Amino acid sequence: MRTIFDTHLHIIDPRFPLIKNQGFSPNPFTCKDYLEKVQHLNIKGGTVVSGSFQGFNQTYLIDSLQKLGKNFVGVTQLPHDTSDEEIIRLNGYGVRAIRFNVKRGGSEDLSHLEYFARRVHELVGWHAELYIDSISLSEIATTLVNLPAVSVDHLGLSKEGFNNLLSLVDKGVRVKATGFGRVELDVAQAIRCIYSVNPDALMFGTDLPSTRAKRPYNHSDIELIYNTLDEKQTEKVLYKNAINWYMK
């Protein structure tokens, strides 16, 4: 069984504050639910990602990381004027990135991207993650290529903007091979193209529980990667690239 680092999962625990986003309220998906869902996979760690419906709340994330253990890290959302002390505190709990949710909101505005991404990287080594349609990447491409560390969620979502994404991959931007049921492109072809441009770029994630996706995660998503890449390439996408990105 191949080793997996799940770079994209959400924990939705109703014990902690949730914000209705664009009229949507998510169903619960606790740490226990997640571990039951992936019990037949060889998950050796992962990344808990703050969703639009969690805003700037950190209590659920700290609780989740404590429950899931040291091999799990967090991606949070914070306002740009968050104190150094708070960022350092969250880093101590295992938070490793700041998220800009352009698609759904609930995060800091992109106007603060350059300042905040540089600040958290210099302070604690975090990278910036963007949930954004790749059509819009051209508008911020110059900023992104000059940032120290950036990743883009869900293969950039759209076929129309895919060349924008590839151009950034060529300059070092990472890409999450996640959310196959929410993208508007040929996933296998996208994976082959991205891997050919930068073998270190792709990082698999389940996207569980796949809130608002047209099709939720299925174990066949992993099979698709097996069937698209060779053994060594698959190992990089499922595990090694993510370990080098999140756990270094």
Side-chain angles (χ1 to χ4, degrees):
M1 184 182 294
R2 293 171 177 85
T3 304
I4 296 171
F5 188 96
D6 184 355
T7 66
H8 201 98
L9 65 110
H10 299 285
I11 299 298
I12 304 161
D13 191 328
R15 295 180 304 138
F16 299 98
L18 291 169
I19 305 164
K20 184 176 287 190
N21 177 263
Q22 299 173 349
F24 173 79
S25 294
N27 293 324
F29 189 74
T30 64
C31 292
K32 182 174 181 286
D33 294 329
Y34 171 74
L35 293 173
E36 287 178 355
K37 192 76 172 178
V38 300
Q39 62 182 314
H40 299 302
L41 300 176
N42 190 23
I43 301 285
K44 293 300 185 182
T47 307
V48 181
V49 178
S50 291
S52 58
F53 39 79
Q54 284 152 333
F56 297 137
N57 180 266
Q58 308 300 319
T59 55
Y60 97 91
L61 184 56
I62 291 170
D63 180 80
S64 299
L65 295 177
Q66 290 177 327
K67 282 186 168 65
L68 292 170
K70 65 179 182 179
N71 292 329
F72 284 80
V73 299
V75 176
T76 194
Q77 297 169 156
L78 291 170
H80 74 279
D81 57 356
T82 301
S83 69
D84 286 359
E85 290 76 15
E86 175 66 357
I87 294 167
I88 291 168
R89 184 182 78 93
L90 292 172
N91 186 70
Y93 283 111
V95 175
R96 294 294 179 265
I98 189 81
R99 193 183 199 209
F100 291 82
N101 191 330
V102 183
K103 180 74 173 176
R104 299 289 186 189
S107 66
E108 184 54 274
D109 188 84
L110 270 184
S111 62
H112 297 290
L113 171 62
E114 183 170 13
Y115 160 75
F116 203 19
R118 287 188 181 280
R119 183 174 157 225
V120 297
H121 187 270
E122 291 169 5
L123 185 63
V124 286
W126 291 1
H127 66 267
E129 297 194 3
L130 280 77
Y131 182 16
I132 187 171
D133 191 310
S134 55
I135 294 172
S136 301
L137 287 174
S138 60
E139 301 167 17
I140 55 172
T142 302
T143 297
L144 293 181
V145 298
N146 287 307
L147 290 178
V150 179
S151 69
V152 174
D153 292 347
H154 308 321
L155 298 170
L157 294 172
S158 72
K159 180 179 179 180
E160 186 177 348
F162 188 66
N163 285 337
N164 295 337
L165 182 66
L166 277 185
S167 176
L168 292 171
V169 169
D170 188 45
K171 295 176 175 64
V173 170
R174 283 5 185 222
V175 179
K176 288 190 179 183
T178 56
F180 296 172
R182 64 173 82 244
V183 304
E184 301 289 345
L185 44 73
D186 183 320
V187 172
Q189 183 180 10
I191 286 171
R192 280 191 294 268
C193 288
I194 293 169
Y195 194 96
S196 69
V197 172
N198 182 357
D200 297 327
L202 279 168
M203 304 177 291
F204 172 76
T206 61
D207 188 36
L208 283 168
S210 307
T211 55
R212 288 188 272 197
K214 289 181 294 183
R215 174 185 66 76
Y217 163 79
N218 188 284
H219 293 330
S220 63
D221 293 344
I222 298 176
E223 294 299 322
L224 184 151
I225 296 174
Y226 294 161
N227 295 330
T228 301
L229 303 173
D230 66 29
E231 187 74 22
K232 182 178 178 181
Q233 294 169 340
T234 297
E235 184 181 15
K236 284 178 70 67
V237 174
L238 293 182
Y239 185 72
K240 285 188 173 181
N241 287 348
I243 287 293
N244 291 334
W245 188 243
Y246 284 103
M247 307 297 281
K248 60 187 178 182

